[in-house]
Amino acid sequence: MKKSFPIIVALIAFALFIGWRVQAKMKETGQMRDQQAQRKKSAPNVETAVAGPAVIEQTIDTVGSVETPFAVKIAAKTAGAIDFLEVREGDKVVPGQVLVKIDPDDVVAQVLQQQSNVAEARARLAQAALTQDSNATGVNAQIRQQKASLESAKTDFSHAEIDQKAQIASAEAQVQDVEAKVASAKATVESATADVESAKANIENAKTRLSRMESLFNQQFIAAQDVDDARTVVKVQQGSLLVAQRKLDAAKSSLRSVQAQLESQTKQAEIAKRKSYSDLASSKAKLTQANANFDVANANRSQTRAYRENLAALKAGVDAAVAQLAQAKAKLADTTLRSTIKGTVTARNFDSGSFVSAGQQILMVQFLDWLYITCYVPIDEGIDIKPGQDVNIAFDAFPKRVFRGKVDRVNPAADPASRQFKVSIKLDNADGTVRPGMYTKVGFVKDRTEAKVAVPREAITRTKGKTTIVVIAEDGTATIREVVLGATNNSIYEVKEGLKSGERIVTLSYSPIKDGQKVKLPGNKKTEGDRRGPREAK
């Protein structure tokens, strides 16, 4: 009995502990049931918005690039050094503004020469007018004078032909001389390259021999002096390689120099040829004029009518000289380059003091007040795009801003390779924000609905073939209504029936809402017109 007493006490204690745990668990379960019942009776937390009018746009989306409608290349009309060039990239220019001035010295000389020719022609005309009624002596004198002028013109023309050939031959000889220097420099480079390769080979041979010597020395087959000699040979060959490499660098530098001389001499030869042809043409024109004057002078011998014709010919000579003077002045005017448009300098290829040839572009001026956006759309969507259509435009550079443009032109023919239409969009750019060359996302507005009542897409619920929305009264009571939807994009819906503007609706609930249930209202979010970019508005 004494031995079983502790066991009985332990069993009683264990039974009491079990009973206490069961009672505590039942109490905890009851509390959880009470809390669950309270949660079911409590109002759910919701997020809301206010239904209201909105503009819903459906778009055709694509990408495009920005282009300027006017891009003017300011190019040299005559060869020469730039005397004046002060504008740089980003500077604004206006029509007529002087942008570039070319050294006018050569052209000024031509103007002075033509002015002299005009004065001479007018002097001959005045002299003929004074002497048209003179006797045969005067006529004969005039003939002799014109004959002398003709002989002088022939001589000048002959000299011009000789000078032309001499100038061309000299220029070509100079070019050939520089070409020979280039060939010689190339040969020197090749020889120096060969020397470098030979020196490298010698170093490798010397290093190989040194390795063998060190191996033999380690085996005590040769003396230490032989190893030192081998090392000395390696150092000598390394020095030879350094010298050869320096000679190669010098040869390459010399080659580049003579190549630059060849390019410069070729340009000078071309200029000399053009000048010789111009001088020859001018001399030939003078010879032609002298022949005409001489014929007229001979004609004056016969009758008075010939005198009148002489006067007409001399007057024609004056007109020709005046025309040549005007041409020379036009060339002089061409040394001053002006902007033809209002725009912005976007490229500058030369600096003041640089030599430019005729036709070389110096500046680029682009019009930026409004721009074109060029894009391509597939055939099945392109037929819906018309000139004047609104376009939403978005740039990655301005993520929070949507630009508005209008379709300006639609190519009536699709590209047979890509099966797409080319579309040009006009974009106002008065503030200069957008730049040519930028990448853009484009949304063509094909349908625009001004919804009287619109709600966010997340407020709509579709279950069992019904479309419903949860409306919240001012006292927080929820009402589930069936609605009829209209136009939509990826952010909002138009509600045609079942909802009024200004009513509060649920956009998010953290627990299911029953009809007639009270809810908690954390805030208010009003539905506004669609302000999204072409990536979102569909």
Side-chain angles (χ1 to χ4, degrees):
M1 184 67 179
K2 292 182 180 179
K3 294 181 178 179
S4 61
F5 180 76
I7 297 174
I8 294 172
V9 172
L11 291 173
I12 293 171
F14 181 72
L16 291 174
F17 176 75
I18 293 299
W20 174 78
R21 286 297 299 165
V22 170
Q23 185 179 5
K25 189 65 175 179
M26 292 176 64
K27 183 178 180 181
E28 183 179 350
T29 302
Q31 290 176 350
M32 292 178 63
R33 289 175 180 173
D34 292 341
Q35 291 176 0
Q36 186 176 6
Q38 290 177 0
R39 284 197 298 270
K40 290 182 178 179
K41 294 179 182 179
S42 64
N45 292 322
V46 297
E47 292 185 7
T48 66
V50 177
V55 176
I56 301 175
E57 293 181 345
Q58 293 179 331
T59 62
I60 300 171
D61 297 337
T62 185
V63 295
S65 59
V66 181
E67 300 176 359
T68 178
F70 309 110
V72 177
K73 297 178 181 179
I74 307 300
K77 296 180 180 179
T78 183
I82 298 176
D83 277 351
F84 172 85
L85 176 55
E86 295 185 350
V87 294
R88 293 189 176 275
E89 292 87 343
D91 289 346
K92 305 289 186 180
V93 298
V94 297
Q97 180 178 342
V98 175
L99 304 180
V100 184
K101 291 183 179 179
I102 308 296
D103 183 5
D105 289 348
D106 292 341
V107 185
V108 168
Q110 295 178 18
V111 171
L112 295 175
Q113 178 63 44
Q114 294 303 327
Q115 286 176 340
S116 174
N117 293 340
V118 169
E120 183 180 353
R122 284 175 175 167
R124 289 198 299 267
L125 176 61
Q127 183 180 4
L130 292 174
T131 60
Q132 65 177 342
D133 293 330
S134 63
N135 54 27
T137 302
V139 173
N140 291 332
Q142 187 179 20
I143 292 174
R144 288 193 298 272
Q145 180 183 0
Q146 295 303 330
K147 185 177 181 180
S149 297
L150 176 60
E151 294 299 326
S152 176
K154 288 180 179 180
T155 302
D156 291 342
F157 180 69
S158 177
H159 289 167
E161 286 183 322
I162 296 173
D163 290 343
Q164 180 199 26
K165 294 179 181 178
Q167 289 174 4
I168 292 175
S170 176
E172 291 177 346
Q174 292 176 357
V175 170
Q176 291 174 356
D177 181 61
V178 178
E179 287 176 343
K181 292 181 180 179
V182 170
S184 175
K186 287 181 178 179
T188 303
V189 169
E190 293 175 356
S191 175
T193 302
D195 292 343
V196 169
E197 296 300 324
S198 176
K200 289 180 179 179
N202 291 338
I203 288 177
E204 292 301 321
N205 291 336
K207 287 181 178 179
T208 301
R209 185 173 183 277
L210 173 61
S211 178
R212 287 198 297 267
M213 288 294 185
E214 289 175 342
S215 176
L216 294 174
F217 176 73
N218 291 333
Q219 298 176 28
Q220 297 182 353
F221 289 144
I222 60 173
Q225 181 61 42
D226 294 332
V227 176
D228 292 340
D229 291 343
R231 289 197 184 105
T232 302
V233 171
V234 171
K235 291 181 181 179
V236 169
Q237 293 301 330
Q238 288 175 339
S240 299
L241 174 59
L242 180 61
V243 172
Q245 286 177 334
R246 288 177 179 175
K247 288 182 179 180
L248 176 59
D249 293 339
K252 288 181 177 179
S253 175
S254 177
L255 175 59
R256 288 193 294 270
S257 175
V258 295
Q259 285 176 334
Q261 291 177 15
L262 176 59
E263 182 178 357
S264 173
Q265 192 61 51
T266 302
K267 291 181 179 179
Q268 291 178 4
E270 184 63 27
I271 293 172
K273 288 180 180 178
R274 289 200 298 268
K275 184 177 183 302
S276 66
Y277 285 126
S278 176
D279 293 343
L280 182 61
S282 175
S283 179
K284 186 175 182 180
K286 290 181 179 180
L287 176 59
T288 302
Q289 182 65 43
N291 269 315
N293 292 340
F294 181 70
D295 293 340
V296 171
N298 277 324
N300 286 341
R301 182 181 296 173
S302 60
Q303 52 187 348
T304 306
R305 181 179 177 182
Y307 284 103
R308 291 196 299 268
E309 292 177 354
N310 180 43
L311 289 177
L314 291 175
K315 187 177 184 304
V318 172
D319 293 340
V322 170
Q324 291 177 351
L325 175 60
Q327 183 179 8
K329 288 182 176 180
K331 288 184 178 180
L332 180 60
D334 288 342
T335 61
T336 299
L337 305 180
R338 303 174 184 270
S339 175
T340 57
I341 64 170
K342 175 187 176 183
T344 303
V345 177
T346 58
R348 169 171 162 157
N349 301 324
F350 291 92
D351 292 323
S352 183
S354 301
F355 184 89
V356 292
S357 301
Q360 282 190 301
Q361 178 183 324
I362 302 173
L363 299 172
M364 170 68 79
V365 178
Q366 295 187 356
F367 181 82
L368 302 180
D369 289 354
W370 60 267
L371 300 167
Y372 277 130
I373 295 177
T374 301
C375 60
Y376 295 85
V377 294
I379 291 177
D380 55 345
E381 294 181 338
I383 58 177
D384 295 330
I385 298 176
K386 309 294 181 185
Q389 187 172 344
D390 289 333
V391 184
N392 296 325
I393 303 166
F395 296 92
D396 291 341
F398 313 108
K400 297 182 179 180
R401 183 175 176 184
V402 177
F403 295 78
R404 282 283 191 174
K406 287 187 179 293
V407 176
D408 186 69
R409 292 192 304 272
V410 180
N411 193 329
D415 186 339
S418 64
R419 304 297 181 187
Q420 292 183 327
F421 287 106
K422 179 181 178 181
V423 181
S424 295
I425 303 163
K426 189 173 181 180
L427 175 65
D428 182 68
N429 190 42
D431 58 358
T433 301
V434 182
R435 309 293 176 83
M438 293 180 71
Y439 170 85
T440 178
K441 300 177 180 65
V442 178
F444 297 94
V445 180
K446 66 177 181 178
D447 189 18
R448 182 183 180 90
T449 302
E450 295 186 1
K452 294 181 179 180
V453 181
V455 297
R457 292 179 67 92
E458 56 266 23
I460 301 300
T461 302
R462 291 185 174 90
T463 56
K464 297 180 181 180
K466 293 183 179 181
T467 302
T468 60
I469 194 167
V470 179
V471 183
I472 307 299
E474 292 185 1
D475 62 353
T477 302
T479 302
I480 299 177
R481 292 187 195 172
E482 189 172 354
V483 294
V484 177
L485 302 180
T488 183
N489 59 20
N490 68 335
S491 59
I492 58 178
Y493 270 111
E494 176 189 17
V495 180
K496 289 187 173 182
E497 296 179 10
L499 189 66
K500 295 180 181 180
S501 178
E503 289 189 296
R504 186 186 300 275
I505 48 94
V506 174
T507 59
L508 176 64
S509 175
Y510 298 97
S511 60
I513 301 175
K514 297 181 180 180
D515 192 33
Q517 187 178 8
K518 294 282 189 177
V519 298
K520 294 181 181 179
L521 306 176
N524 181 4
K525 180 176 65 176
K526 187 174 182 180
T527 302
E528 298 181 351
D530 184 20
R531 297 293 185 268
R532 304 186 181 221
R535 285 183 297 178
E536 303 178 26
K538 280 193 176 179

